[in-house]
Every structure is written in structure tokens, then in C-alpha cells.
Amino acid sequence: MATIKDVAKLAGVSISTVSLTLNQHPNVSPETRKKVWKAARELQYQPNGIAKDLKSVRTKTVGLVLSDLSGPFYSELIRGIQEVTTANGYDLVAMSAIGGSGSPARYIREKRTDGMIILAHDIDSHLISQAGREKFPIMVLDRKLESDHVFSVTVDNRKGAYEAGEHLIRSGYRKIAYLAGPNDSTDNAERFAGFKEAMESHGLEVTPKWYIQGGFTKQGGYRAVKLLAAQHILPEAFFAGNDEMAMGAMEALTELGIRVPADVAVVGFDDIELAAYMRPPLTTVRQPMFDMGYTAATLLFRLLDGDRSVRSVVLDTELIVRESCGSK
Amino acid sequence: MATIKDVAKLAGVSISTVSLTLNQHPNVSPETRKKVWKAARELQYQPNGIAKDLKSVRTKTVGLVLSDLSGPFYSELIRGIQEVTTANGYDLVAMSAIGGSGSPARYIREKRTDGMIILAHDIDSHLISQAGREKFPIMVLDRKLESDHVFSVTVDNRKGAYEAGEHLIRSGYRKIAYLAGPNDSTDNAERFAGFKEAMESHGLEVTPKWYIQGGFTKQGGYRAVKLLAAQHILPEAFFAGNDEMAMGAMEALTELGIRVPADVAVVGFDDIELAAYMRPPLTTVRQPMFDMGYTAATLLFRLLDGDRSVRSVVLDTELIVRESCGSK
DNA sequence: TTGTACGCGTTATCAG
DNA sequence: CTGATAACGCGTACAA
């Protein structure tokens, strides 16, 4: 790999002249300019980005940490973020927090980017809080967190879940099971709280036997239903903490010959793209993923600009009634 | 941000002592060791990854360039890659080639990673070829490309398209339109070639009026069908260059009151997750995305190890017959 | 066992 | 207009 030094030598000028030329600085004579370009081309010179970053402190990059890069519903989120980052002339690099979250944690600590957007519950809040600095703002999307340089963009999970729960209740269902996400997930906690609230405000009770762990995965939802079916206790409806579990649940139900929504209703949470294509189409709570991404990125840049008025944001969800809840 | 210097000062030792200690070097007295750790903790010292990379040349990171990070069918691919990278103790960072591909191109040229996996037709082959070096191997997944340090993992598009085309023909369809992807896409070219071959080997002709541009997007497929319908020329079947276009096409067809497959059959290519959930479920050609990712990453690491026996790989597709082609 | 000094590839400052 | 030279933060011979 040719360095700036090689170019300087070949062109017969000094390193600084090369740098000036290549960076479009005006104070370079046309002749030298030509010599330098020629040498650079011959050597196929490409500036070393790492060295550049080391010097300039700014990497012109924002990082995005996802708990699993291959997740289904990040598309819109990423689009929202990207819209803003490219508009600001920044790059976006994404990495996943898979496998003990070792690597992104390192990335965060080592600050290879100018800022971070995090949506990965397996990254420690403590780590995040102390990683945020004046020149390294962080936006979190999966929990509420706020310190000097860390803010959150979240969704009103509680309210969303309340609405969905109430819709189910109003439709006549009373024995409703909750398919839960991981216990360390704030999203899950809030959604459950909202659901519970809806139940209680209608004089209904949420019994522990109907709080079933599904780990936010399709498999988990599938297993949960099979487990219940094996015990011959099935609720009238399932409230899934996310769409993936709802999908798994519906699959299991179908296999068991139980019709949705005729026999059992199902609602989900997230409104992933697939939701509209399930059979029957899934009633769910829509998270404005694009808006979240857009908002998070916008705030991040304001933070980068030293704007002290930035505050955390909570966005609203929207209940999307389709067919799986039997009320349409 | 505290630097190694600050730690040295606070601990009352030299910079190198700090470095030695923190890097687990044995030759440091227990006392000094303690002093250093204490100072480091107090200052919340974190080594600057950028500086480290500059020195050590290895970044322990592989980059993944996608034409659009938010694309639908990358999940499996990423899982396959990640499996291998984490096993090798490497990080994976992904970036998209959106917006003129300026940024990833920069990333590639500037070599901020130890290697690259590219699936983005908007990145110039020429750029890729000359970026690959001894210590910077590149794997491309969306075209055939092979030079000293660049290899490809592709799928037998031609064969896959041939099979799907033949299946359609065997099912009795004769007037078949091809929904095309971008003209600069090798995938598209090969798929079309395979389709054409199937047609011709059955004495059928492919007329230009039935090669319709859909740009590999859902919207494009939708528009293509509407356009044809407006001219009152509809084929008996659509062969879509990818599933997204097939999805758009089916949507348009449905809107027009045309039944799939009763009135018009549709087949796609890729087998994205959604394919099985469309109505009717889409007959398509499955690309082994996980395997592609896994293979690409594996070869990349072999290249990184200096293995000279690495060659490009072509994987097989599989025809997935569902209902949209009317033969089930 | 510890410290000094240099290099990694750039950019920026400041003379000349 | 051009060229030394000093940083950036770290690792590491080599010397002490």
C-alpha cells in the first residue's frame, strides 16, 4: 500500500505539499499539482482512513448497534437513520451485539465513531452511560436512559399495550394469556404493564399461569402454545409481546387444528412487515420504526452540534386492527 | 477522554509501563501493576481503538457492504457470516451502499477492515479488483469476479431460472413475461438468460415486449403489471427476477381483480421469508443465503491466513413450488 | 523492572 | 507557494 510518503518521493516534493494538493488546498501551483496527481495515480495512492481519523478526531461515522443484525424489523429503522446520516454527510456502520456483546461493547468504549445509536438490550446500561461524552453522544432506543450525553427515543409501550389489551377485552375475550419477552427487556416489562393495566381496569385478573415466556422469538411463541396445549389449558386469546412470537404462536395453533380467530384470537406488537401477510393477518401495535430512526439520528446530530436542549422523546404507537383478533 | 499518557502521569510511571501492564505483559512488578490499574480505573481509561489499529495494521474486523442495509432478505446471509466471524474472534460491521455508494467505496479503499464481503451491485467491479490485496481479501456475492485477492460466492442463477422457467412451461403456460432487475445487475442478466434458455428449448420465444423493467423493487413489479394491464396485454404468467417484484406484481394483479394463479401465474426468485406468506404463497427459486454467507466468510478467513488454494464457489438453488404457479 | 525514543500515516502550523 | 516539524495515541525495541 502506497503511503503519502511514497507519493511525495516519486513526485519529488514534500509530504505536506502532497497533502495540500490532494485536499484541494488552493495554495499550490498548477505544476506541482500536476506532478502530485500523476504520482498519486501511478502509485494508486489511497489515503489511510485510520490515520486520518486518528489525527482529526472526527470519524464522520455513526454507529448502530443492534442486538441481532439479522432481525426482521430493522429495515424501516435503518432507513430512518440513514436518511439523516447521509444528509449530514456521515456514514453509518451497523454491528450486532450477538455473542456476549463483546465486540460492540469494545466499539463503544473505543469510540471508533462520532456517536452511537443503540437498540440492543444485551448492552449494559451502565456501560452506555459512562461511554457517553461531550464528543460522543449516544441514543438508545430500547430503554429509557438519560444522562448528560445519552438520550432515548422510545415508544409508549405501555399505552400501546393498554389499547391492544382493551381492544381484545372489548371484543369479548376474558381469558387472555401474555406471551412474554426476555425478563431483562424494558420493552417487555412495559408492554406487560400496559396489558395488565387494561385487564385490571376491566376487573380482569392476570394470573401467573398465563404469563408465558417466549423470549421474543418465533420459536418461543411456538413452544409456548404447544406447552399450554399439552396441558389442555388454552386461553381465549393471546397477547404476544412482539410479532415474532405471535407468528410462532399462530403456527402452533394452526398445527393443532385450532382456528384463529374463530377459536383463539391473537394480537402482536411491532407491526413487522410480515404481520400483514400472516394468515389471518395479524392485529398488532405499530411501532413507528422509521420515525424512531429518523428522530434518533436527528437528535444525535444536534447533540454533536453541542445543542444542550435535546431531551429524550417518547413516540406514540398505533393499533392496527386486522383479522387475527376476530373483530373485523 | 483519558489517554495512556494521563494514566502514566497519574500512576507516576512511564507510558510504556502502562502499556505493558494493560496488555498483560509478564515483566511488570506487582506494585507497579497495581498502581497502573488503579490510575486506569480512576480515569476510566479506554485505549483508543483507532490508534491501536493504525499501529497494528490488523483491525480484527470484517466489513460487509450491502446495497441497502434495510433490504429484506439479508437476515440469513448475515447470520451465516456472523457465525464464522465470531468464531474467529472477529467483529462484523455492515454498511450500505446507498446514496451513490460513496461511503462504502471510501471504506473499501481506505481499508478500515481486514477484509470485505460485498453484495452491492452499485459498487464498481474495477474498484473492487484493485482494492483487493494480500492483506485485504474481498469476497463478492453478487457477481462473478476473480483476481488474486478477490473471489466470489455466487448462486447458479442460470440453472435456477431455467428450472423455474421450465416448470412454468411444463405447467402449460406459454406466454410468459419476464420482470427484470436493473440492467447492470449480473444476477438479473443470468436469470434472464436461464429463463430464455428454458423458453427456447421448448420452442417458445421471448419477445422484447415481455421483458419489462421492474428494478428489483416491489414498486417496480407493481408498476410493470399496471402498465401492461393498461395496454390490455397480459401474459399467462410472470417470471419475476426477484421476489420483491413478484410481490408487487401480485399486489397489482389482485387490485385489478385478476386471480393468481387461476388467471395469471407468478413465480419469483430468492425465496425471501415473506414468500411463503404471500397470497397465494409464492413459487420461487430459493437462494441458500445462509450458506452463501457462511461460505464467503470461511473463504475470507482462509485468504486472510494466506491460503492460496481458495477458489470461487457457485452454489445451487432450489425450486420451491408453492401455489402461485398453479401447479399445486 | 522501567523509561526513552521511534514509527504508524495524516493533517496543521509556521517559517522560509 | 513549499517544506520542516509537531502532533494524534499507541506499541515496542532497546537501553538503562
Side-chain angles (χ1 to χ4, degrees):
Chain A
M1 200 72 224
T3 76
I4 197 173
K5 235 185 226 164
D6 305 320
V7 179
K9 203 180 295 171
L10 181 60
V13 299
S14 79
I15 293 178
S16 22
T17 305
V18 177
S19 178
L20 288 180
T21 314
L22 265 30
N23 293 314
Q24 318 283 4
H25 197 93
N27 293 355
V28 181
S29 77
E31 306 161 45
T32 352
R33 199 173 278 279
K34 254 182 212 147
K35 274 193 300 189
V36 171
W37 277 113
K38 181 158 168 287
R41 213 171 312 117
E42 259 175 52
L43 269 54
Q44 299 199 46
Y45 168 72
Q46 288 302 338
N48 179 321
I50 298 177
K52 210 187 285 187
D53 286 348
L54 177 57
K55 182 65 191 160
S56 50
V57 189
R58 321 211 75 191
T59 60
K60 279 269 189 182
T61 306
V62 340
L64 170 65
V65 183
L66 266 16
S67 37
D68 181 356
L69 251 188
S70 55
F73 77 171
Y74 297 133
S75 302
E76 286 300 294
L77 175 79
I78 295 175
R79 273 194 45 235
I81 296 174
Q82 212 146 47
E83 191 107 329
V84 180
T85 48
T86 49
N88 280 274
Y90 267 61
D91 291 341
L92 176 69
V93 304
M95 62 211 94
S96 84
I98 220 168
S101 73
S103 55
R106 222 188 67 200
Y107 235 77
I108 295 171
R109 284 194 307 247
E110 295 183 353
K111 309 201 187 352
R112 288 155 190 273
T113 58
D114 288 356
M116 278 282 174
I117 297 177
I118 301 177
L119 174 53
H121 63 268
D122 28 13
I123 301 270
D124 186 43
S125 287
H126 195 65
L127 168 66
I128 296 177
S129 297
Q130 67 178 49
R133 315 237 164 198
E134 173 76 38
K135 290 290 169 222
F136 190 74
I138 300 180
M139 301 293 312
V140 292
L141 305 187
D142 63 337
R143 71 195 91 181
K144 288 207 173 60
L145 199 60
E146 191 162 330
S147 61
D148 287 3
H149 306 286
V150 180
F151 296 89
S152 62
V153 174
T154 50
V155 119
D156 199 335
N157 280 306
R158 198 191 183 91
K159 189 168 146 211
Y162 183 93
E163 287 172 8
E166 182 155 64
H167 182 82
L168 232 30
I169 297 166
R170 285 234 173 100
S171 302
Y173 303 102
R174 321 203 86 237
K175 296 200 277 187
I176 307 175
Y178 180 80
L179 259 33
N183 293 322
D184 62 346
S185 154
T186 317
D187 280 342
N188 178 67
E190 291 179 357
R191 288 170 196 179
F192 178 64
F195 166 68
K196 197 175 163 196
E197 210 173 292
M199 292 291 275
E200 287 169 351
S201 78
H202 285 263
L204 265 27
E205 225 186 325
V206 180
T207 66
K209 86 168 177 192
W210 278 348
Y211 178 96
I212 307 140
Q213 188 51 250
F216 270 169
T217 68
K218 185 173 159 186
Q219 274 244 334
Y222 179 92
R223 279 204 206 112
V225 169
K226 288 280 173 125
L227 204 75
L228 247 41
Q231 303 171 55
H232 299 290
I233 43 170
L234 274 179
E236 295 165 6
F238 281 101
F239 186 118
N242 74 355
D243 286 353
E244 289 187 75
M245 289 192 296
M247 184 165 33
M250 280 181 28
E251 222 165 75
L253 256 12
T254 306
E255 277 184 21
L256 292 164
I258 297 166
R259 292 163 307 165
V260 178
D263 302 325
V264 173
V266 176
V267 308
F269 204 112
D270 283 348
D271 195 31
I272 60 177
E273 195 186 4
L274 254 170
Y277 292 88
M278 297 184 196
R279 273 174 288 183
L282 185 69
T283 292
T284 188
V285 180
R286 180 170 205 295
Q287 290 205 62
M289 296 306 286
F290 181 91
D291 299 0
M292 287 181 74
Y294 195 95
T295 308
T298 304
L299 295 186
L300 191 75
F301 280 109
R302 280 178 46 196
L303 250 14
L304 240 20
D305 282 349
D307 186 338
R308 311 280 305 176
S309 69
V310 171
R311 289 293 165 273
S312 289
V313 167
V314 177
L315 300 173
D316 266 330
T317 59
E318 183 189 356
L319 180 65
I320 308 285
V321 179
R322 295 203 181 90
E323 296 166 29
S324 70
C325 63
S327 68
K328 197 180 184 180
Chain B
M1 201 70 223
T3 76
I4 198 172
K5 235 184 228 164
D6 304 320
V7 178
K9 202 181 294 173
L10 181 61
V13 299
S14 81
I15 294 177
S16 40
T17 307
V18 176
S19 177
L20 288 180
T21 314
L22 267 29
N23 292 314
Q24 317 284 5
H25 198 93
N27 294 354
V28 182
S29 77
E31 306 162 45
T32 352
R33 197 173 279 279
K34 253 181 212 149
K35 276 193 300 190
V36 172
W37 276 113
K38 182 157 165 288
R41 213 172 312 118
E42 261 175 53
L43 269 53
Q44 299 199 44
Y45 169 71
Q46 289 299 340
N48 179 319
I50 297 176
K52 211 186 286 187
D53 286 347
L54 178 56
K55 183 69 191 157
S56 50
V57 189
R58 320 211 75 190
T59 59
K60 278 265 185 186
T61 306
V62 341
L64 171 64
V65 182
L66 265 17
S67 38
D68 180 357
L69 250 188
S70 55
F73 79 169
Y74 297 133
S75 302
E76 285 300 295
L77 174 78
I78 295 176
R79 275 194 44 234
I81 296 175
Q82 211 146 46
E83 190 108 330
V84 179
T85 49
T86 51
N88 281 273
Y90 267 60
D91 291 342
L92 176 68
V93 304
M95 62 212 93
S96 83
I98 219 168
S101 74
S103 55
R106 224 187 65 200
Y107 236 78
I108 295 171
R109 283 193 307 245
E110 297 182 353
K111 311 202 185 352
R112 288 154 191 274
T113 58
D114 288 357
M116 279 281 174
I117 297 177
I118 301 177
L119 175 50
H121 63 270
D122 26 15
I123 302 270
D124 185 45
S125 287
H126 195 65
L127 169 65
I128 296 177
S129 299
Q130 68 179 51
R133 315 233 165 200
E134 173 75 39
K135 289 292 169 218
F136 189 74
I138 300 181
M139 302 292 311
V140 292
L141 305 187
D142 64 338
R143 72 195 90 181
K144 287 209 173 58
L145 199 59
E146 191 162 330
S147 61
D148 286 2
H149 307 285
V150 180
F151 296 90
S152 62
V153 174
T154 50
V155 119
D156 198 335
N157 280 304
R158 198 192 185 91
K159 190 169 147 210
Y162 184 93
E163 286 171 9
E166 182 154 65
H167 182 82
L168 232 30
I169 298 165
R170 286 234 173 100
S171 301
Y173 303 103
R174 320 203 86 238
K175 296 199 278 186
I176 307 175
Y178 181 79
L179 259 34
N183 292 323
D184 62 346
S185 154
T186 317
D187 280 342
N188 178 67
E190 291 180 357
R191 288 170 196 179
F192 178 64
F195 166 70
K196 197 174 162 198
E197 210 173 296
M199 291 290 276
E200 287 169 353
S201 78
H202 284 263
L204 265 27
E205 227 186 323
V206 181
T207 67
K209 84 168 178 191
W210 278 349
Y211 178 96
I212 307 140
Q213 189 51 250
F216 270 168
T217 68
K218 185 173 157 185
Q219 275 244 335
Y222 179 92
R223 277 202 209 114
V225 169
K226 289 279 173 127
L227 203 76
L228 247 40
Q231 303 171 56
H232 299 288
I233 43 169
L234 274 178
E236 295 165 5
F238 281 102
F239 187 118
N242 74 356
D243 286 353
E244 289 186 73
M245 289 192 295
M247 183 164 36
M250 279 179 30
E251 223 165 74
L253 255 13
T254 307
E255 277 183 24
L256 292 164
I258 298 166
R259 293 164 306 164
V260 178
D263 301 325
V264 173
V266 176
V267 308
F269 205 112
D270 282 348
D271 195 30
I272 61 178
E273 197 187 3
L274 255 170
Y277 293 88
M278 296 183 197
R279 272 174 289 185
L282 185 69
T283 291
T284 187
V285 180
R286 180 170 204 296
Q287 290 206 62
M289 296 306 285
F290 180 91
D291 299 0
M292 287 181 74
Y294 195 95
T295 308
T298 304
L299 296 186
L300 191 74
F301 280 109
R302 280 177 46 194
L303 250 13
L304 239 20
D305 281 350
D307 185 339
R308 310 281 304 177
S309 69
V310 171
R311 288 293 166 273
S312 290
V313 167
V314 176
L315 300 173
D316 264 331
T317 59
E318 184 189 356
L319 180 65
I320 306 285
V321 178
R322 297 204 180 90
E323 297 167 28
S324 69
C325 64
S327 68
K328 196 181 182 177

